[in-house]
Amino acid sequence: MIIGVPKEIKTLENRVSMTPGGVETLVRRGHTVLVEAGAGLGSGLSDAQYEAAGARLVSREAAWGAQMVVKVKEPVAEEYGFLRDDLLLFTYLHLAAEEKLTKALLDAGTTAIAYETVQLPDGSLPLLTPMSEVAGRMATQVGAHYLEKPQGGRGILLGGVPGVTPGSVVILGAGVVGANAAKMALGLGAQVTVIDINHKRLTYMDDVFGGRLITVSSTEPNIRKAVQFADLLIGCVLIPGAKAPKLVTAEMVKTMKDGSVVVDVAIDQGGCIETIKPTTHKEPTYLVGNVVHYGVTNMPGAVPRTSTFALTNQTLPYAIKLADKGFDALRADNALLLGLNTHKGVLTCPAVGDAFGIEAVAPAQAL
């Protein structure tokens, strides 16, 4: 198969979808890999390294002209023209928050497989997990930064110092993102509260962290109370493939302290905080009242070296299956089949259909 690796063009997105090691693996299996010149520079990977691995350096148009295109982020508007009915696209899509992209993929007839909906029998999301780990850890790091007074925050050191109360971190969601955010916040010495609807997950968090954090069942009154006292509020809610529920209302945000910070990692799926909106690494924050909001939709792009290797470690085995077997890889691997979001003008992700009122069919039926 001919595989294309275009350069990411989302604002300050420096990740790349394949390392030279991944290229070498595919080339040794008889595939052709077309890498857009400069695609890896943001992650510290040179064109020479890709050439040495067996890639052909090409233009953007040539990379997109491959049979299968492997990306990191969803196509942006200026890339819609590259979509076509004989293209297999393998990338993060987050379609429930991207109606225009959903329609563009359907209109073009593109077969699109979303990293974030590839799901194993145990319910885990192997291709979302590495970036969730990065984003969770970054959320606490970013929040601590914006709590500094020169950044518009309250002027709080999350861990405090002896004799001074530490900052309060409230985390909505105890999944992969929430667990990693909690790990970082506890490491800094903050007071940490984790809220989740799943009691078993809260029990797990309590056990893993040795009772050092506060676990709270997710109810509206509990969320309202916790938000009011948070110095840093981190949104980590995920419903696979679906739009995130708005757990924190604008009225709740009004009760937050001046200079407190909101970081909503769920922004890729629309966000779980009503006042959040997408931002970029170029302009990452804005104020609602006197509360700092951070809604960058590609947080891991700020640490591309770490993120690129973490992501491609997980995506490469699936890319190999698709390159070796084409659509038969979907039929043979149910986890990969669940990643199918669009095929030949048909929507195959019910959660996206629910978000936009579009009829969806089962992936197997579409194939």
Side-chain angles (χ1 to χ4, degrees):
M1 183 177 282
I2 301 173
I3 301 148
V5 179
K7 180 178 172 63
E8 300 294 323
I9 61 172
K10 193 163 186 171
T11 304
L12 295 179
E13 176 54 74
N14 287 298
R15 289 173 289 180
V16 63
S17 63
M18 195 172 296
T19 61
V23 169
E24 184 175 350
T25 300
L26 286 163
V27 169
R28 285 187 174 183
R29 298 177 76 91
H31 304 295
T32 298
V33 183
L34 309 178
V35 176
E36 181 180 346
L41 295 179
S43 293
L45 299 169
S46 68
D47 287 347
Q49 287 175 285
Y50 282 103
E51 283 190 306
R56 287 171 48 197
L57 296 179
V58 299
S59 66
R60 178 184 301 179
E61 291 74 16
W64 272 100
Q67 293 168 286
M68 176 169 74
V69 167
V70 182
K71 287 185 85 276
V72 177
K73 290 301 292 178
E74 71 282 348
V76 297
E78 61 189 277
E79 294 173 312
Y80 291 178
F82 293 123
L83 302 176
R84 59 184 198 276
D85 62 5
D86 61 345
L87 172 65
L88 175 58
L89 177 64
F90 191 35
T91 187
Y92 284 120
L93 289 173
H94 299 290
L95 293 184
E98 292 281 354
E99 186 171 9
K100 289 182 180 178
L101 174 58
T102 302
K103 290 182 177 179
L105 288 167
L106 293 174
D107 289 345
T110 301
T111 298
I113 300 171
Y115 293 159
E116 72 275 6
T117 60
V118 174
Q119 188 168 17
L120 297 174
D122 64 1
S124 62
L125 305 167
L127 306 189
L128 185 61
T129 294
M131 294 304 92
S132 294
E133 292 168 340
V134 171
R137 295 182 184 212
M138 279 191 67
T140 299
Q141 183 174 297
V142 163
H145 175 65
Y146 284 104
L147 278 171
E148 296 171 6
K149 195 68 176 178
Q151 308 304 322
R154 297 192 69 212
I156 285 179
L157 183 66
L158 270 187
V161 292
V164 180
T165 304
S168 172
V169 178
V170 174
I171 299 170
L172 300 171
V176 176
V177 175
N180 279 274
K183 181 181 292 186
M184 293 291 282
L186 288 169
L188 290 173
Q191 176 183 294
V192 180
T193 300
V194 176
I195 301 175
D196 199 281
I197 198 169
N198 187 328
H199 183 74
K200 287 185 178 179
R201 189 65 188 178
L202 292 177
T203 300
Y204 168 81
M205 294 284 281
D206 184 69
D207 288 343
V208 166
F209 293 109
R212 291 188 296 136
L213 48 69
I214 301 165
T215 56
V216 176
S217 182
S218 182
T219 65
E220 188 170 331
N222 285 345
I223 293 171
R224 186 185 304 115
K225 182 179 179 181
V227 165
Q228 185 177 352
F229 294 101
D231 295 307
L232 171 58
L233 175 63
I234 302 176
C236 308
V237 176
L238 173 71
I239 300 174
K243 200 162 187 177
K246 302 295 185 187
L247 298 185
V248 176
T249 66
E251 289 302 312
M252 292 180 192
V253 172
K254 287 179 181 178
T255 70
M256 296 180 73
K257 294 168 284 192
D258 289 352
S260 54
V261 176
V262 166
V263 177
D264 196 344
V265 184
I267 187 63
D268 273 334
Q269 297 292 121
C272 62
I273 297 161
E274 189 176 12
T275 49
I276 201 69
K277 63 182 181 181
T279 63
T280 68
H281 286 299
K282 189 174 181 180
E283 296 181 15
T285 64
Y286 60 94
L287 290 175
V288 175
N290 289 312
V291 177
V292 179
H293 284 56
Y294 178 98
V296 174
T297 55
N298 60 327
M299 288 178 66
V303 287
R305 182 78 179 183
T306 297
S307 298
T308 287
F309 282 90
L311 177 61
T312 57
N313 285 344
Q314 303 303 316
T315 57
L316 181 59
Y318 290 94
I320 290 170
K321 289 181 181 181
L322 289 167
D324 286 353
K325 300 178 180 179
F327 292 150
D328 286 340
L330 296 169
R331 299 183 180 98
D333 186 332
N334 193 63
L336 193 54
L337 180 63
L338 291 173
L340 188 66
N341 277 209
T342 65
H343 178 65
K344 302 297 182 184
V346 176
L347 183 67
T348 56
C349 183
V352 177
D354 291 342
F356 303 129
I358 301 173
E359 183 180 356
V361 304
Q365 181 181 343
L367 289 178

